[in-house]
Amino acid sequence: MNLGPQNPHGNGLLYSGFNQDQGCFACGMESGFRVYNCDPLKEKERQDFAEGGIGHIEMLFRCNYLALVGGGNNPKYPINKVMVWDDLKKKHVIELEFSSEVKAVRLRRDRIVVVLDAMIKVYTFTQNPQQLHVFETCHNPKGLCQLCPNSNNSLLAFPGRRTGHVQIIDLANTEKPPVDIAAHESALSCIALNLQGSRLATASDKGTLIRVFDTSNGSQLQELRRGSGSASIYCINFNQDSALLCVSSDHGTVHIFAIEDPKKNKQSSLASASFLPKYFSSKWSFSRFQVPGGSHCICAFGADSNSVIAICADGSYYKFVFNSKGECSRDVYAQFLEMTDDAM
């Protein structure tokens, strides 16, 4: 969730994002960064910088290394640099500089992936990182890129050079031709890999459809309908076993879809009428909830398989629980930015 200085809530929050297994989330602030446990909510780390903001922060599971990029009205670091911070030493230990603004960073234990506007660079995660690969993309202002964290699967997914396409590269075998997926006709707004790296979910800037693909061959497995009107999709996440998918948008809603058991998803009673437009045969979410205030939010599944966490730009945290019928209720509400060290 890239908010930048234009965050309308005036709370200093510039960025928030989950770690690889969605067990934690990290926040870049106008004056440092914070790390929280997701469920139950708990502030784990707070680093205040008197001299500047962090516009992007990427965790590596729960280890002590974090990738930081400066941001906000007074960036702590130049926006064209990636700083790898060692939280045990309380200082940056690796520095990478680029000729243009860094849009995003992705980490796994052996790789640092840096996303620029039309290019992705892959480095070794070592004291002196060596550049291994450079991949061209289309114009990618959102820094879309997903790196599978699974030690047995080194897939990297990113926008292809053609609008609406996704390229999937196996970093362990770059001689193998990439899988090219024509996911959407319009530009991509969000992509997500499951933990195992076997599934890719995508949304376009229209935001009406979510498509799920098999990463091994690029075949489409599901087409899910978020709504009939266009929307900006902020976040897509699979649950741990990839049976469910959650999606947040600028409509202030979080939708939950069933991937493994698609019969759970709602469908129009007119679905079987072949003369009607495809819209009527769409699979709709089986559960959804409205985020109070409709603030920009990211979402992920909680520690319980029937719960979803929403982290919002206004500093609010929600945990919703749902049952097999799709009935949903709010379980926890908190203001995470107002938590103190005493609560740690």
Side-chain angles (χ1 to χ4, degrees):
M1 180 163 68
N2 278 305
L3 297 166
Q6 69 270 29
N7 181 350
H9 303 288
N11 54 15
L13 184 62
L14 298 172
Y15 176 88
S16 71
F18 295 105
N19 71 342
Q20 287 80 358
D21 62 6
Q22 288 102 52
C24 293
F25 67 97
C27 297
M29 310 288 296
E30 284 281 11
S31 58
F33 66 83
R34 299 183 195 178
V35 176
Y36 300 86
N37 189 72
C38 270
D39 189 16
L41 177 66
K42 189 178 186 193
E43 187 180 284
K44 303 290 286 180
E45 182 57 46
R46 176 186 293 219
Q47 184 67 47
D48 292 321
F49 296 135
E51 70 279 27
I54 299 299
H56 187 91
I57 176 167
E58 175 77 358
M59 299 178 69
L60 178 57
F61 288 99
R62 291 173 182 262
C63 87
N64 51 301
Y65 292 112
L66 300 158
L68 306 177
V69 181
N73 291 313
N74 180 29
K76 161 76 172 165
Y77 306 113
I79 60 173
N80 65 324
K81 283 187 178 183
V82 173
M83 317 297 271
V84 176
W85 175 272
D86 183 337
D87 206 52
L88 293 177
K89 295 178 179 175
K90 301 293 181 190
K91 65 176 187 178
H92 69 266
V93 291
I94 297 172
E95 182 175 325
L96 292 167
E97 185 172 0
F98 302 90
S99 57
S100 61
E101 181 183 349
V102 174
K103 299 295 184 182
V105 188
R106 295 286 177 254
L107 299 177
R108 53 180 281 146
R109 289 184 172 89
D110 56 353
R111 296 288 181 268
I112 300 171
V113 176
V114 180
V115 186
L116 307 173
D117 182 70
M119 193 181 294
I120 288 176
K121 297 191 172 189
V122 181
Y123 296 84
T124 58
F125 198 154
T126 50
Q127 188 62 49
N128 295 301
Q130 302 300 305
Q131 183 175 298
L132 298 174
H133 313 289
V134 178
F135 302 112
E136 286 182 30
T137 69
C138 60
H139 175 52
N140 185 15
K142 293 183 175 176
L144 301 181
C145 177
Q146 291 295 327
L147 179 61
C148 179
N150 192 310
S151 55
N152 302 317
N153 199 344
S154 305
L155 293 189
L156 181 70
F158 54 86
R161 280 182 283 188
R162 293 173 64 186
T163 299
H165 283 235
V166 179
Q167 291 260 306
I168 298 178
I169 304 259
D170 185 350
L171 293 179
N173 182 11
T174 51
E175 298 302 307
K176 197 168 81 175
V179 175
D180 181 75
I181 299 173
H184 300 272
E185 289 178 7
S186 56
L188 298 163
S189 68
C190 199
I191 62 174
L193 283 172
N194 65 348
L195 262 178
Q196 299 77 20
S198 59
R199 298 286 180 266
L200 170 81
T202 66
S204 77
D205 57 10
K206 284 184 180 171
T208 50
L209 296 172
I210 314 296
R211 294 189 172 122
V212 180
F213 300 90
D214 183 327
T215 58
S216 64
N217 56 22
S219 62
Q220 183 176 307
L221 302 173
Q222 299 267 350
E223 183 175 271
L224 309 163
R225 184 170 284 277
R226 183 212 53 79
S228 51
S230 61
S232 294
I233 302 294
Y234 293 142
C235 182
I236 303 175
N237 267 314
F238 292 87
N239 70 343
Q240 296 288 328
D241 66 0
S242 308
L244 300 171
L245 193 71
C246 62
V247 179
S248 67
S249 76
D250 65 346
H251 287 207
T253 50
V254 174
H255 291 257
I256 303 162
F257 296 92
I259 306 290
E260 286 295 297
D261 184 8
K263 290 192 289 293
K264 270 189 177 178
N265 294 322
K266 292 173 183 163
Q267 201 167 20
S268 166
S269 56
L270 300 170
S272 57
S274 58
F275 58 86
L276 287 171
K278 196 171 156 190
Y279 173 87
F280 287 97
S281 61
S282 296
K283 305 283 196 305
W284 299 72
S285 58
F286 79 90
S287 185
R288 55 177 280 187
F289 58 84
Q290 197 75 24
V291 175
S295 174
H296 188 150
C297 77
I298 55 174
C299 59
F301 289 91
D304 316 309
S305 58
N306 66 329
S307 64
V308 169
I309 307 295
I311 309 298
C312 305
D314 63 2
S316 54
Y317 165 103
Y318 296 97
K319 179 181 177 182
F320 289 85
V321 293
F322 58 92
N323 62 21
S324 57
K325 294 177 184 172
E327 296 161 341
C328 199
S329 61
R330 190 166 95 186
D331 187 46
V332 179
Y333 163 75
Q335 281 287 330
F336 62 88
L337 293 178
E338 292 171 12
M339 298 178 80
T340 62
D341 289 349
D342 303 337
M344 288 170 66

